[in-house]
Amino acid sequence: MEQKAATTSLRAGLRKSILTSLIIGLAVVIAISLFSDLRAVGNDLLTFDWALLPLILIGTVINYWLRWLKWDYYLRYLKLDRDIDRSTSGLIFTAGLVMSVTPGKMGEVLKSFLLRQRNATPISRSAPIVLAERLTDGIAMLLLMGLGLTLYPPARPLFVVLVLVTIIGIIIVQRQTLALAIIRMIARLPLGQRLAPRLETIYTTTAQLLHWRILLISTVISVVSWGFECLAFFWVLMGVGSTPSWLLLLQATFIFAASTLFGLVSFLPGGLGASEVSSVGLLLALVGLSASAATTATIVIRFCTLWFGVLLGVVALAWLNRYPGTLREQEDLASLSDASEVL
């Protein structure tokens, strides 16, 4: 009975998270459409070159496939792949996409929960993979954004700040003495004694994943994978009537990377609102699209990346639920709650 209640609670939480994000996403689309002239946006959607949709989705799928390779690489590097074949690893990764609409995408720790269900890996041991994924994705976005930084000088201060914060964070993680000293300081704070042991476990695994060689390999994978979504955005801009050129590809790369980063650092669910507004604004400023065309391009790329991923995640999660793990789900949920508190 407890296990059934735990499962029901988890599913209800997932449904609530997705429904809330859908409502927010719809509100954002309506808001930017009204700002851009709702009728004009509707006309642009009707005249969009939908023959490009397969190419756009292929770019997105390649992004997901390469990011799965990175997840699987981390999993096997840490030797957490016991009883996990490639297909199960892929399903777990894809199921995690359903939580892309959580603040900072930290809800993707759901992957750690699903992994624990199948081979008893402690969530505190695998959750750092999610942190490493987000960090390397962020570095990749910074690099892609840097390619077109000359296009929009006002973004340079934010770019510099994000680079400095990233470098400082990596240095802290790689300097064990400094990192452990910070954890000891946290242990002296209220509730710190309860969090410190978990932070130390997470730090130990994170430090392994941020070794320079591992960091380099995973960052290269991230740059290539997100590069395909930038390419997908390039095709979206062609779909709204932009003339293909190397400059348009550079603009698409910069705008997609910058708007994704803005959404990430906003810590809003899925970057909803921050990503869309920044995307429309940059398209107006750099590409010279009309407000309705910029809004249309943003709606299409968000559907083909964020919401397409969530849909794939729902399908993968439903498939995994057909073959549930053998561990006590109540214990799993307790561990997931502990990990969420730390993250």
Side-chain angles (χ1 to χ4, degrees):
M1 184 65 70
E2 288 183 356
Q3 293 180 21
K4 184 176 180 180
T7 302
T8 302
S9 176
L10 175 62
R11 291 174 179 170
L14 288 175
R15 284 195 296 269
K16 181 179 179 181
S17 175
I18 295 172
L19 181 60
T20 300
S21 297
L22 277 171
I23 293 172
I24 295 174
L26 181 60
V28 169
V29 168
I30 292 174
I32 61 175
S33 296
L34 287 172
F35 170 79
S36 305
D37 186 337
L38 187 59
R39 181 174 296 178
V41 172
N43 289 334
D44 283 342
L45 283 170
L46 289 174
T47 58
F48 183 85
D49 187 358
W50 292 106
L52 290 169
L53 184 61
L55 276 178
I56 298 167
L57 293 178
I58 286 172
T60 300
V61 169
I62 292 175
N63 168 266
Y64 294 152
W65 176 67
L66 289 171
R67 285 166 57 196
W68 162 69
L69 286 181
K70 183 173 65 173
W71 152 265
D72 197 67
Y73 171 65
Y74 283 147
L75 205 61
R76 298 181 195 286
Y77 174 75
L78 294 175
K79 296 179 171 54
L80 304 180
D81 58 329
R82 181 175 56 84
D83 299 329
I84 302 294
D85 57 21
R86 301 286 182 180
S87 60
T88 303
S89 169
L91 283 171
I92 290 175
F93 171 81
T94 306
L97 294 175
V98 77
M99 300 303 286
S100 296
V101 286
T102 55
K105 297 188 179 181
M106 284 297 103
E108 288 187 36
V109 77
L110 171 69
K111 292 183 292 195
S112 295
F113 165 69
L114 295 172
L115 181 65
R116 187 183 190 278
Q117 276 192 321
R118 280 149 183 80
N119 67 4
T121 296
I123 285 180
S124 59
R125 177 74 171 141
S126 63
I129 293 179
V130 177
L131 295 175
E133 287 179 306
R134 297 285 69 77
L135 175 62
T136 51
D137 286 347
I139 294 174
M141 285 301 184
L142 281 172
L143 293 173
L144 291 168
M145 179 180 172
L147 291 176
L149 204 58
T150 55
L151 297 173
Y152 191 64
R156 291 174 185 172
L158 176 62
F159 178 81
V160 172
V161 169
L162 290 174
V163 169
L164 289 175
V165 169
T166 301
I167 292 174
I168 291 171
I170 293 174
I171 291 174
I172 290 175
V173 171
Q174 292 187 337
R175 292 185 177 274
Q176 184 176 14
T177 303
L178 177 59
L180 292 178
I182 293 174
I183 292 175
R184 284 195 294 270
M185 290 175 58
I186 293 174
R188 299 191 189 102
L189 299 174
L191 302 178
Q193 288 186 337
R194 192 162 76 93
L195 287 177
R198 299 173 191 162
L199 287 173
E200 190 166 344
T201 299
I202 289 174
Y203 165 73
T204 301
T205 302
T206 303
Q208 289 180 267
L209 297 178
L210 296 187
H211 181 276
W212 287 112
R213 182 176 65 85
I214 306 302
L215 182 63
L216 177 61
I217 293 172
S218 54
T219 299
V220 169
I221 295 174
S222 293
V223 170
V224 176
S225 66
W226 287 103
F228 274 98
E229 288 212 349
C230 292
L231 184 58
F233 192 41
F234 168 72
W235 287 322
V236 168
L237 296 183
M238 287 176 56
V240 294
S242 297
T243 303
S245 65
W246 287 110
L247 175 60
L248 183 66
L249 178 59
L250 184 60
Q251 291 170 330
T253 300
F254 173 77
I255 293 171
F256 183 83
S259 60
T260 301
L261 273 174
F262 292 153
L264 185 64
V265 300
S266 73
F267 269 82
L268 293 168
L272 293 171
S275 288
E276 287 84 355
V277 170
S278 57
S279 175
V280 171
L282 289 171
L283 285 171
L284 291 173
L286 301 182
V287 184
L289 295 180
S290 66
S292 61
T295 299
T296 299
T298 297
I299 291 173
V300 172
I301 193 61
R302 289 293 272 173
F303 171 78
C304 292
T305 54
L306 177 66
W307 295 109
F308 179 59
V310 172
L311 178 60
L312 291 178
V314 169
V315 174
L317 189 59
W319 186 274
L320 284 169
N321 283 339
R322 294 175 59 188
Y323 307 100
T326 58
L327 300 178
R328 289 183 61 213
E329 293 183 355
Q330 187 68 43
E331 294 176 357
D332 289 340
L333 287 169
S335 298
L336 181 61
S337 175
D338 289 345
S340 299
E341 287 178 16
V342 173
L343 295 175

